[in-house]
Amino acid sequence: MTLQFNDETFRGDYTFHNSPHAVRRFPFPFDRDSYMYSVNIEQHPGGAAGTPFEFAFDVDEHYVSEMRDRAITLAEDAQRCQSLPHMELAGWDLLELIMVSKARDYPHWFELTRDGNAWRWINKPMGVDDSFTFLDASTLPYGPLEYITRQAQGDFALLNERDGNLWLDAGMITSQADWSLDFDVGMNFFEWHAPVPKAGKMGVFDKALKFLLAVNQGQSYRRLNWTMTVNPRLDTSPENYHKWGPEKRSITPDNVGQRQFLRVELQTFWRLPRSNALAFPIRCYLASLEDLCTQPKWGRRLHRVLRDIDPDLADYKGFAVNQPTIVDYLSNFDDGAPTSQGIYPDASGA
Amino acid sequence: MTQTRFSPSIPSRPVYSGLVSCGSALSIMVADEAGAAALTDLARSDASVMDKAHLLLIGVSQATVQELSALTPRSLSQSPTVQGAEEIFDALIAHAAIGTLLFCAGSEGLIGQFSARAMRFGLSPDAIQSEHRGSVARRMQCVHCKGITEDVTTDPFICGHCGLTLFVRDHFSRRLGAFQGVCVDAETPGDIPETVEIRP
């Protein structure tokens, strides 16, 4: 494996960048030329070699820099990681799932040695070599959830099941699309989704909850969600909205291609063995419009999707104010030709 | 004065279904001046609700205290301030037997705050009843500095802690007992919409 980890930033000078390889494997979320909410769930992991769907937890060129950005966010606001007292066991479940998966899928980077509850974890990209006692939090520098998610890309929510509902009772949330863990922790499935427009009336959350409650031991699934972000910023939290908000108004016809990003969430769902909680990792991928348009199919399709989207969704996803500039830019990449089915770029793409 | 009727809203916005007698159950009843009338109405519907009820009245008049004393609750405590009431409440709930119910009546801030406090002591949400009376002022958490501003009656309002101008969301946290306030001019600093009164 020759992958180099980028040295890049997700704030300040925003040196984040995608290699051509990262662009080609970007999880483009639109399988057709239009968009409306759907539950769009499929089995995970599973996908062609090299795609973000191949392994349980995708590790890509942004890994080390993303973890550095998470550490900065946590140093400024420790409440981005919270776990209600009954959720520690679910944290251990998640730690086990991530360690076992990464050691299996990326053995050149991660090693896990287990002798009963005496575990040794080696994370070479981050220079970690820790021995600890599984299920004994006093042997780790952080609680199990925080420990492992400081070493795993994406946000993580742990959902406790009771009373026929799912409760957002723990999480590590530093790269969120504008929602607050500190405010939402302890809420049930309908409460924490309450601000999402239209979807409730469409029955999306009823269906999604039924599906999630039926996820059994050993099963795991995924779906893609998306939004738009100005600049490659992971921490688009409401906590810091007054700091990053002005950047949203900095888009011009000249810079939109470089500074407007499509933000895709690869959301996965895992039933955890000891706690019976659901793990809900939310992995964030960012790509600039300019990079996406190197794939002719994506340029055409993104233009049509964002031009024709329901105005409420443009507003909720936070790009209504920049929509005309975005659509104008993308129109240069849409020659009206038909697009092929599915999310993957055409083989003839750049 | 009667129960407030709120406009339809999002699913996290609490609804207060009104107080209903569970007979002479063990209970803690918390009310402000406007909410005291809900306790009186409850006792009128079934006098036995007061048999094992500990009343905690916050900032009420002496006339109201006398009126509720006449309902002969198990005990009646009062405090001029929420802060003082919290100490009394903690002592009551810490010694409450299994199965104790909580009745909250009055402002949204009072209901949210004492419901959240009771849940931190392990009371189940099913054991909590509430009835909104009086002011529609809200208890707001600033999402930026996390400070709580009580009795917010306008949208937008100024956070009493960090000074940002916040708009009033309907998104509500039962754990915090507060609505969420978010910077209204984050994207265009200084561009603040006209202030309006909060409506039910």
Side-chain angles (χ1 to χ4, degrees):
Chain A
M1 183 70 78
T2 56
L3 178 62
Q4 297 287 309
F5 295 107
N6 298 349
D7 182 7
E8 59 193 359
T9 57
F10 298 84
R11 60 183 78 211
D13 56 358
Y14 291 113
T15 60
F16 169 89
H17 55 283
N18 283 307
S19 67
H21 172 72
V23 172
R24 293 246 342 143
R25 75 192 294 277
F26 187 78
F28 190 74
F30 305 112
D31 65 351
R32 64 196 71 187
D33 290 355
S34 62
Y35 175 78
M36 190 16 103
Y37 292 132
S38 66
V39 180
N40 68 320
I41 291 172
E42 53 189 354
Q43 283 208 324
H44 181 80
T51 66
F53 315 118
E54 179 183 9
F55 296 131
F57 298 95
D58 183 41
V59 178
D60 69 8
E61 66 189 33
H62 307 296
Y63 176 48
V64 174
S65 291
E66 273 191 47
M67 294 300 94
R68 201 181 301 141
D69 192 71
R70 163 159 292 160
I72 296 169
T73 299
L74 287 168
E76 293 172 352
D77 182 1
Q79 299 301 93
R80 300 297 187 86
C81 184
Q82 295 196 38
S83 180
L84 297 184
H86 58 279
M87 294 303 282
E88 187 175 298
L89 186 61
W92 285 110
D93 276 332
L94 180 70
L95 175 144
E96 177 188 50
L97 175 65
I98 293 175
M99 287 185 178
V100 168
S101 301
K102 285 191 168 181
R104 177 192 64 223
D105 297 334
Y106 302 94
H108 47 295
W109 289 334
F110 304 98
E111 290 172 26
L112 178 64
T113 318
R114 290 184 286 183
D115 178 10
N117 280 348
W119 292 25
R120 182 179 178 194
W121 166 247
I122 299 175
N123 173 343
K124 292 177 189 169
M126 291 185 68
V128 171
D129 181 349
D130 284 334
S131 295
F132 61 96
T133 306
F134 187 67
L135 300 177
D136 179 355
S138 71
T139 61
L140 286 175
Y142 307 101
L145 168 66
E146 180 165 356
Y147 177 79
I148 195 57
T149 58
R150 279 177 177 266
Q151 301 178 47
Q153 287 165 277
D155 285 349
F156 291 83
L158 293 176
L159 314 181
N160 186 35
E161 179 173 339
R162 62 179 188 274
D163 304 332
N165 211 324
L166 294 172
W167 301 80
L168 177 60
D169 285 349
M172 167 67 92
I173 308 292
T174 64
S175 53
Q176 69 270 47
D178 204 7
W179 64 280
S180 166
L181 173 71
D182 184 54
F183 194 79
D184 288 1
V185 71
M187 289 191 187
N188 70 37
F189 193 76
F190 298 109
E191 289 171 340
W192 95 72
H193 284 111
V196 182
K198 286 181 186 280
K201 279 191 182 127
M202 290 168 59
V204 170
F205 297 130
D206 297 282
K207 279 186 236 171
L209 177 62
K210 272 185 193 152
F211 180 89
L212 291 172
L213 291 173
V215 172
N216 285 320
Q217 294 296 335
Q219 293 183 331
S220 47
Y221 296 90
R222 67 166 174 255
R223 70 182 286 263
L224 293 176
N225 195 15
W226 67 278
T227 186
M228 304 286 284
T229 302
V230 173
N231 291 330
R233 185 176 180 93
L234 290 175
D235 176 28
T236 49
S237 60
E239 278 82 358
N240 286 330
Y241 179 39
H242 55 307
K243 297 176 187 164
W244 56 265
E247 294 178 13
K248 268 181 75 175
R249 305 297 179 114
S250 66
I251 288 294
T252 67
D254 289 334
N255 67 23
V256 63
Q258 294 93 43
R259 295 185 62 181
Q260 180 67 60
F261 285 74
L262 176 62
R263 183 186 193 103
V264 174
E265 293 177 354
L266 170 56
Q267 305 179 342
T268 56
F269 318 99
W270 311 76
R271 180 68 72 173
L272 297 175
R274 296 172 190 78
S275 58
N276 200 45
L278 275 177
F280 180 38
I282 309 161
R283 173 66 182 277
C284 172
Y285 294 85
L286 294 162
S288 67
L289 298 186
E290 187 176 74
D291 280 347
L292 291 168
C293 289
T294 61
Q295 309 303 313
K297 169 181 170 179
W298 290 353
R300 293 184 183 109
R301 177 163 291 168
L302 194 58
H303 172 243
R304 296 166 198 179
V305 168
L306 298 183
R307 178 191 62 197
D308 301 338
I309 194 165
D310 185 306
D312 285 353
L313 296 192
D315 199 40
Y316 172 62
K317 290 179 183 287
F319 68 93
V321 66
N322 294 318
Q323 190 177 12
T325 310
I326 292 167
V327 172
D328 264 3
Y329 173 84
L330 291 172
S331 68
N332 298 312
F333 299 90
D334 187 358
D335 56 8
T339 53
S340 59
Q341 288 192 329
I343 63 174
Y344 297 103
D346 291 328
S348 58
Chain B
M1 191 182 289
T2 54
Q3 277 192 64
T4 311
R5 291 174 67 101
F6 289 98
S7 325
S9 183
I10 62 174
S12 59
R13 200 238 185 284
V15 291
Y16 310 105
S17 48
L19 306 184
V20 178
S21 166
C22 297
S24 60
L26 288 164
S27 64
I28 299 169
M29 298 185 179
V30 184
D32 56 21
E33 180 73 36
L39 300 187
T40 307
D41 289 350
L42 177 67
R44 196 172 291 141
S45 76
D46 177 0
S48 75
V49 294
M50 292 294 164
D51 291 353
K52 297 176 186 169
H54 295 276
L55 268 54
L56 173 53
L57 304 177
I58 305 169
V60 303
S61 66
Q62 277 315 299
T64 299
V65 171
Q66 282 166 12
E67 193 181 330
L68 290 175
S69 297
L71 303 173
T72 63
R74 168 74 62 89
S75 75
L76 190 154
S77 317
Q78 53 171 317
S79 169
T81 63
V82 169
Q83 201 175 17
E86 284 173 345
E87 289 175 25
I88 301 169
F89 182 81
D90 289 357
L92 284 172
I93 201 153
H95 296 106
I98 300 279
T100 296
L101 304 174
L102 173 64
F103 294 82
C104 294
S107 70
E108 286 203 85
L110 176 142
I111 296 170
Q113 194 170 359
F114 284 90
S115 299
R117 208 167 180 89
M119 287 190 283
R120 282 204 291 279
F121 277 92
L123 204 70
S124 156
D126 300 339
I128 302 173
Q129 289 193 27
S130 54
E131 180 162 329
H132 186 270
R133 297 274 184 127
S135 163
V136 295
R138 293 188 181 189
R139 185 166 190 262
M140 301 295 305
Q141 189 208 38
C142 171
V143 75
H144 310 289
C145 79
K146 309 297 183 183
I148 298 278
T149 303
E150 303 280 355
D151 293 325
V152 171
T153 57
T154 64
D155 179 17
F157 70 101
I158 293 176
C159 174
H161 305 272
C162 68
L164 287 173
T165 305
L166 309 179
F167 71 92
V168 173
R169 293 188 79 189
D170 278 349
H171 200 31
F172 182 86
S173 165
R174 289 198 278 176
R175 185 181 69 89
L176 300 169
F179 290 90
Q180 188 175 64
V182 179
C183 183
V184 73
D185 59 340
E187 295 181 23
T188 50
D191 183 4
I192 295 178
E194 192 185 341
T195 302
V196 297
E197 294 288 311
I198 290 177
R199 292 197 301 192

